[in-house]
Amino acid sequence: MAKDQKGVEDLSEREAGDELERLAQEISRHDVFYHTQDTPEISDSEYDLLSTRNRLIELRFPHLKRKDSPSERVGAPVQGRFPKVRHARVMLSLENAFDDQEVLEFAARVRRFLGLDQDTPVEMTAEPKIDGLSATLRYEKGVLRLGATRGDGREGEDVTQNLKTIGDIPKQLSGTGWPDILEVRGEVFMGKADFEALNVNQLAAGKTPFSNPRNAAAGSLRQLDPGITVTRPLRYYAYGWGEISSWSMQTQREVMSAFEDWGFKLNPLLKLCPQVSGALAHYNTIEKARADLDYDIDGVVYKIDRLDWQKRLGEVSRAPRWAIAHKFPAEKAETILEGVDFQVGRTGALTPVARLTPVTVGGVVVRNATLHNADEIARLGVKIGDRVQIQRAGDVIPQILTVIDSPAGASEIIFPTHCPICNSAVVREGDDVVARCTGGLICEAQRVERLKHFVSRAAFDIEGLGAKQIENFYNEGLVQSPVDIFTLEARDKTSNEKLAEREGWGSQSVSNLFDAIREKRTIAFHRFLYGLGVRHVGETTARLLAINYISADRFLDEMLKLGDTISSASDDLKAIDGIGPKVVDSIADFFGEDHNRKVVAELRREITILDAEVPSEETPIAGKTLVFTGTMQEMTRSEAKARAEAMGARVSSSISARTDFLVAGPGAGSKLKKALDLKVQVLDEKAWLKLTRT
Ligand code: IVH
């Protein structure tokens, strides 16, 4: 976005005409990305900025309005596009397994978690994993009331009207016995033949063809005009559920056949397998049938059949422990390695990225592949100019598999000894495979990447302030450190180069941005912590820390004391079950650095960090700290821990005066003794089960 964009009121007539032409082209390009190819390049609010500017110019110069004006186009996107909806239950994703061994490990994990012996059969369903997009359908008293896309799993887009156009989706449930509230989840997809036919029509109408059936399905579902969606041959298979008011079903298979009775289509290849061996055999059958199926699939999904086991297994990091996707081998292609760029990440890690002669792999054009690190380059023995085989598996970054041919002129890949951005030395510490720029925050790349991380989806997630915008603001000197985001509005007031006067901005869009920033002045503890970008503190660890400390103020005060030998801060941190020495060290490093202390102090002045939410349900162990020791008969330690956490308790690995309960089974030793010394309440397994039985 250029700095010198004129405000609408300052445009001359000629400039206005040029600008309307540019906007018409740009908006239509983004429409294609968003609506047909389903790969938006800019955020919704950036898009709104373009539309608003277009409309304002037209208001000032009505006679310049173009025939192809975006404001006139039928079905032209309106502000904000589809309304957002929060899912009543999170829409989960799946862990992947890439070979039989990983599936066997999944089954073994399930057995271990549930404490089952080898002889207990673990039945599971196996069904194709369709390459479409998931949609949730909410029925109230049998009537379809709301339909939405998955979005980020917590919040999706309300596409009810479009989903209603799909023949496979009942508007009213048939049969009997459905619960008052029923959310059905499944996959929206387009058949291969229908996709080909649609593309013929697209081309005949002078429109861009879709690159694959998945994009065609996504683009068709997200048409703002349901009149267009209805002409698209979309289909729907049900495979799961979200909120349900009540029911008595006991297995996955039972639920699926009830869905069928109520009017849904199920995948004909869905099968109940008594053992994991049978599931693997069914995988082979499906893989053989794959080419003949009239829709795209990219693997097989296994789900533990017993619902009581599903419940006990629960989920971890947004994927259920009771299901797994067994992916088909990745698609491969050959191309030439034209060069290697080195990207500098948030923590200084240098990643070599292969520049490839563009090649289509499984319907997607691939231009880059990751080379991971120097060891990987050495292992492959790859040189610039080589003909290489690459693979692309689902949404994973493409990889180079092997060198096919190395011509005489091929040249070695030289790993830089100095950072390509800040020229600081690049080092590899100990046995770390990663080479890092030692520039820290003098390295512009690291600073920008940190800022991008700060505003990323799982962190502050500020609408209209994405990676691209951050880069622009950084380059223009407007945002150099996280706190600058929150002082932007105040600085803009006194600035003589107002944001609203810049290219691509208008007063409405600026006020939207400031509103969005203001909204995030109050932030959840785990989002704030994740946003700081401490090494090894990902989303899961950030949540774990938040739940353990509850108050961010207390946490931050404690972390600032990590270096003091007399403080117990470090021991308290180590005592949390799931926090290992690597995490403790990197947290200590982070808070030991002056710059980081300053960033945190500045942010604390500008924002309010909410206490971690203890589950609102009153459970007898919510907010309590538990330690487990010894063995248990009824459930494994992992299940006990998962149950405790799900009920709002913190699980610690060592006893202290702050421990509320010690759950002790046979074989308990020093922990039991210490608990008795400290007068911590001790529960045996029976008492624990009684306390937590739901
Ligand atoms: S089950 C909790 N079953 O795969 C279970 N998902 O990687 C959640 N998908 O978002 C999903 N076919 O869009 C399930 N038979 C199937 C599926 C399937 C396709 C997609 C779905 C989901 C994604 C997870």
Coordinates of all heavy atoms in Angstrom, one line a residue, residues 92-94 127-130 133-134 150 187 239 301 303 320 322, ligand 1:
L92 N -13.8 -30.2 15.4 CA -12.4 -30.7 15.6 C -11.8 -31.1 14.2 O -12.4 -31.2 13.2 CB -12.5 -32.0 16.4 CG -13.0 -31.8 17.9 CD1 -13.2 -33.1 18.5 CD2 -12.0 -30.9 18.7
S93 N -10.4 -31.2 14.2 CA -9.8 -31.7 13.1 C -9.2 -33.1 13.5 O -9.5 -33.6 14.5 CB -8.7 -30.8 12.5 OG -7.8 -30.6 13.5
L94 N -8.4 -33.7 12.6 CA -7.9 -35.0 12.9 C -6.4 -35.1 12.8 O -5.8 -34.4 12.1 CB -8.5 -36.0 11.8 CG -10.0 -36.3 11.8 CD1 -10.3 -37.0 10.5 CD2 -10.3 -37.1 12.9
E127 N -14.0 -45.2 7.1 CA -14.7 -44.6 6.0 C -13.8 -43.7 5.3 O -12.8 -43.2 5.8 CB -15.9 -43.9 6.5 CG -15.5 -42.6 7.3 CD -16.6 -42.0 8.2 OE1 -17.6 -41.6 7.6 OE2 -16.4 -42.0 9.4
P128 N -14.1 -43.4 4.0 CA -13.2 -42.5 3.2 C -13.1 -41.1 3.8 O -14.1 -40.6 4.4 CB -13.9 -42.5 1.9 CG -14.7 -43.7 1.8 CD -15.2 -44.0 3.2
K129 N -12.0 -40.5 3.7 CA -11.8 -39.1 4.1 C -12.0 -38.3 2.8 O -11.2 -38.4 1.9 CB -10.5 -38.9 4.7 CG -10.3 -37.4 5.2 CD -9.0 -37.3 6.0 CE -8.9 -35.9 6.7 NZ -8.8 -34.8 5.7
I130 N -13.1 -37.6 2.8 CA -13.5 -36.9 1.5 C -12.7 -35.6 1.5 O -12.6 -34.9 2.5 CB -15.0 -36.7 1.4 CG1 -15.7 -38.0 1.5 CG2 -15.3 -36.0 0.2 CD1 -17.1 -37.9 1.6
L133 N -15.2 -29.8 2.0 CA -15.1 -28.9 3.2 C -16.2 -29.3 4.2 O -17.3 -29.7 3.7 CB -15.1 -27.5 2.8 CG -16.4 -26.9 2.2 CD1 -16.5 -25.4 2.5 CD2 -16.5 -27.2 0.7
S134 N -15.9 -29.2 5.5 CA -16.9 -29.6 6.4 C -17.9 -28.6 6.7 O -17.6 -27.4 6.6 CB -16.2 -30.1 7.7 OG -15.3 -29.1 8.1
R150 N -16.6 -24.6 8.7 CA -15.9 -24.9 9.9 C -15.1 -23.6 10.4 O -15.0 -23.4 11.6 CB -14.8 -26.0 9.5 CG -13.9 -26.3 10.7 CD -13.1 -27.5 10.4 NE -12.3 -27.9 11.5 CZ -11.1 -27.4 11.7 NH1 -10.6 -26.5 10.9 NH2 -10.4 -27.7 12.8
E187 N -19.3 -33.6 5.2 CA -18.5 -33.0 4.2 C -19.3 -32.6 3.0 O -20.1 -33.4 2.4 CB -17.4 -34.1 3.8 CG -16.2 -33.5 3.1 CD -15.2 -32.9 4.1 OE1 -15.6 -32.7 5.3 OE2 -14.1 -32.5 3.7
Y239 N -20.9 -37.5 8.7 CA -20.0 -38.3 9.4 C -19.8 -38.1 10.9 O -19.1 -38.8 11.6 CB -18.6 -38.3 8.7 CG -18.0 -36.9 8.7 CD1 -17.7 -36.2 9.8 CD2 -17.7 -36.4 7.4 CE1 -17.1 -35.0 9.8 CE2 -17.1 -35.1 7.4 CZ -16.8 -34.4 8.5 OH -16.3 -33.2 8.4
V301 N -10.7 -42.5 7.4 CA -10.8 -42.1 8.8 C -11.3 -43.3 9.7 O -12.3 -43.9 9.3 CB -11.8 -40.9 9.0 CG1 -11.9 -40.4 10.4 CG2 -11.5 -39.8 8.0
K303 N -12.6 -44.4 13.5 CA -13.2 -43.9 14.7 C -13.6 -45.0 15.6 O -14.2 -46.0 15.2 CB -14.5 -43.1 14.4 CG -14.2 -41.9 13.5 CD -15.5 -41.2 13.0 CE -15.1 -40.2 12.0 NZ -16.3 -39.7 11.2
P320 N -9.6 -35.3 18.2 CA -10.0 -36.3 19.2 C -8.9 -37.4 19.4 O -8.2 -37.7 18.4 CB -11.2 -36.9 18.5 CG -11.2 -36.5 17.1 CD -10.3 -35.3 17.0
W322 N -9.9 -40.3 19.9 CA -10.6 -41.5 19.5 C -10.7 -41.7 17.9 O -11.4 -42.6 17.5 CB -12.0 -41.6 20.1 CG -12.7 -40.3 20.0 CD1 -12.8 -39.3 21.0 CD2 -13.5 -39.8 18.9 NE1 -13.6 -38.2 20.5 CE2 -14.1 -38.5 19.3 CE3 -13.9 -40.3 17.7 CZ2 -14.9 -37.8 18.4 CZ3 -14.7 -39.6 16.9 CH2 -15.2 -38.3 17.2
Ligands
IVH1 S1 -14.3 -36.8 11.2 C1 -14.0 -35.4 15.3 N1 -14.8 -38.1 9.0 O1 -11.4 -34.0 7.5 C2 -13.9 -35.8 13.9 N2 -13.7 -35.9 8.9 O2 -9.0 -33.4 9.1 C3 -13.8 -34.8 12.9 N3 -13.3 -35.1 6.6 O3 -12.5 -31.1 9.1 C4 -13.8 -35.2 11.5 N4 -14.1 -36.9 5.6 O4 -13.6 -31.8 6.9 C5 -14.3 -37.0 9.5 N5 -15.3 -39.2 7.1 C6 -14.8 -38.2 7.6 C7 -14.2 -37.1 6.9 C8 -13.7 -36.0 7.5 C9 -13.5 -35.7 5.4 C10 -12.6 -33.9 6.8 C11 -13.4 -32.9 7.7 C12 -12.5 -32.5 8.8 C13 -11.2 -32.9 8.3 C14 -10.3 -33.2 9.5

